[in-house]
Amino acid sequence: MSLHTVMVPTMSAQNRARAIPAYVIGVVSAALVFVVGLLGRHVDGSAAVFSGGYLHVGVALGWAVCAGLIALVVTRYLHIVANVDEGSGLAVGYDALPVVLLAAWVVTIAAVATHHWLLAAIGAVLIAYHLWLVVPRLLVARRPKWAKRAPTLDIVVANVFIDNKTPHDAARQLVSTVADIVIVVESTSAFMAIFDEVGGSDAYPHRVSDPDDHSDYAVTVASKHELGPRSQMTTIGPLRLAIADVTVNGVSTLVVALNPMATVDPGGHETWKEQIEALKEFVPTITGPLIIAGDLNTTRYRPEFEELLELGLTDAIDALGKGLNPSFKLGADGVLGTVGAVARLDHALVNDMAFPRTVENLEPFGSDHLPFKLKVAIRAAGVVTP
């Protein structure tokens, strides 16, 4: 089934965040190097390397690393509390926070070993912030009582990569999962033809897609079960959503698939921000169980992601303690492909009428993204037990 409706919300100008140019991080870094350097000279003499007859490269590099990390953290905090926004460079920096903050560990250990105590103290603060970011993502959330015996829905989310060199393998894998719902991101007519050829037409005959979407960001929802009346393709401003209305033990449940634009594409970050704003307007309009899934082209660390969660959504993968399991590789094959996954860009968000039970990553046949299979408990109508 392919339905097409259009909804265009109005976005007030005051809700648009002001942009911070990417070069701001450089300016803040330079200021921090100067200020902290002055302090260091009086505390332990470690900053004297910047004004002596020679430059101690190791210590100077340590100060520069810490200053850059602090600038990134401060800029992210300003975004959160002051309604300012980042450029594409800072967005990628936020995405990489768990990795780049590893540098603070190296600097701190080296500073302690060489008795540069102020540098070590600053590094320790960055380490504490690093732990504050990542440790909660390793903790399993308390499962609500109602979710223990609630009916479940199995969903597979797969960015199959528009230039997939082994589409038959990828398609066969999706069919073999026997999930209730398969979300195909970067779906093309050619891939869906292969999907049908290897058994998808029989296993998943019910569809929501836009046959006129030939972009790199097309999505298809394929279902084992007949879809309800709320199933549709919807356009909200620049955002395309494939919405499947699935009945789970008598409860109408919406599964919403999307693929916002990548920040690294020309003009992509501005479009991505507008699409996330559109999604934020969409979420409060939904009643009943809601599952939003796809390649969101962001990690958990962008402030916009936090704003989505503030709407009453839960990151399903984080709730299962698997938030640090990455899903995106730097390449589908070749040298970059062998590095393995480095960040999680593929997500599933649920409202308080749904709760994740299990999740597992699947093999990325020909793709630069790892698919995942998620089991979600669906809350029965009228159940109020916490």
Side-chain angles (χ1 to χ4, degrees), residues 35-344:
V35 173
V36 178
L38 289 178
L39 292 174
R41 183 173 303 161
H42 294 288
V43 174
D44 61 8
S46 61
V49 296
F50 292 104
S51 59
Y54 66 95
L55 182 65
H56 192 298
V57 176
V59 179
L61 182 60
W63 281 110
V65 167
C66 284
L69 292 176
I70 293 172
L72 184 61
V73 171
V74 168
T75 306
R76 181 175 182 269
Y77 181 75
L78 287 174
H79 182 151
I80 295 171
V81 302
N83 194 35
V84 293
D85 202 0
E86 82 284 358
S88 59
L90 288 178
V92 174
Y94 297 158
D95 289 341
L97 265 175
V99 176
V100 298
L101 281 169
L102 291 173
W105 294 75
V106 176
V107 170
T108 303
I109 293 171
V112 169
T114 56
H115 301 157
H116 292 95
W117 302 116
L118 181 60
L119 183 57
I122 291 173
V125 171
L126 287 167
I127 288 174
Y129 180 75
H130 191 199
L131 294 173
W132 179 77
L133 277 183
V134 302
V135 168
R137 307 194 67 194
L138 299 173
L139 306 178
V140 178
R142 184 182 68 85
R143 182 188 299 174
K145 292 181 180 179
W146 63 261
K148 295 179 181 179
R149 295 181 177 85
T152 59
L153 186 69
D154 285 347
I155 301 171
V156 167
V157 180
N159 182 326
V160 296
F161 188 44
I162 199 165
D163 294 320
N164 196 311
K165 295 179 180 179
T166 57
H168 284 81
D169 292 337
R172 275 191 288 265
Q173 179 195 54
L174 297 182
V175 174
S176 69
T177 63
V178 299
D180 299 295
I181 297 285
V182 172
I183 295 174
V184 184
V185 180
E186 294 192 25
S187 64
T188 63
S189 57
F191 182 86
M192 295 312 299
I194 293 172
F195 179 80
D196 288 340
E197 176 189 321
V198 300
S201 59
D202 296 325
Y204 298 96
H206 308 286
R207 310 281 173 85
V208 180
S209 64
D210 181 0
D212 297 324
D213 188 352
H214 303 294
S215 73
D216 291 357
Y217 297 95
V219 292
T220 296
V221 179
S223 173
K224 278 185 172 182
H225 312 290
E226 187 173 348
L227 299 178
R230 293 194 291 170
S231 302
Q232 59 183 315
M233 285 299 306
T234 297
T235 299
I236 309 178
L239 180 64
R240 299 285 289 144
L241 299 176
I243 303 175
D245 180 3
V246 186
T247 300
V248 181
N249 200 29
V251 178
S252 174
T253 301
L254 288 193
V255 178
V256 179
L258 72 165
N259 184 203
M261 184 171 285
T263 290
V264 295
D265 283 354
H269 188 58
E270 288 301 318
T271 299
W272 179 86
K273 288 187 294 183
E274 292 174 1
Q275 290 172 322
I276 297 302
E277 284 296 321
L279 182 60
K280 286 162 57 180
E281 294 200 11
F282 167 79
V283 169
T285 68
I286 301 303
T287 57
L290 172 66
I291 303 162
I292 299 172
D295 173 9
L296 270 62
N297 272 311
T298 179
T299 67
R300 178 70 160 71
Y301 302 104
R302 292 192 200 177
E304 293 91 347
F305 198 104
E306 297 290 340
E307 292 167 3
L308 280 174
L309 298 183
E310 290 171 1
L311 298 175
L313 299 177
T314 296
D315 184 316
I317 298 174
D318 270 15
L320 293 168
K322 302 290 183 67
L324 294 184
N325 291 3
S327 68
F328 171 70
K329 302 191 299 178
L330 297 176
D333 50 27
V335 175
L336 292 178
T338 62
V339 173
V342 297
R344 174 158 290 281

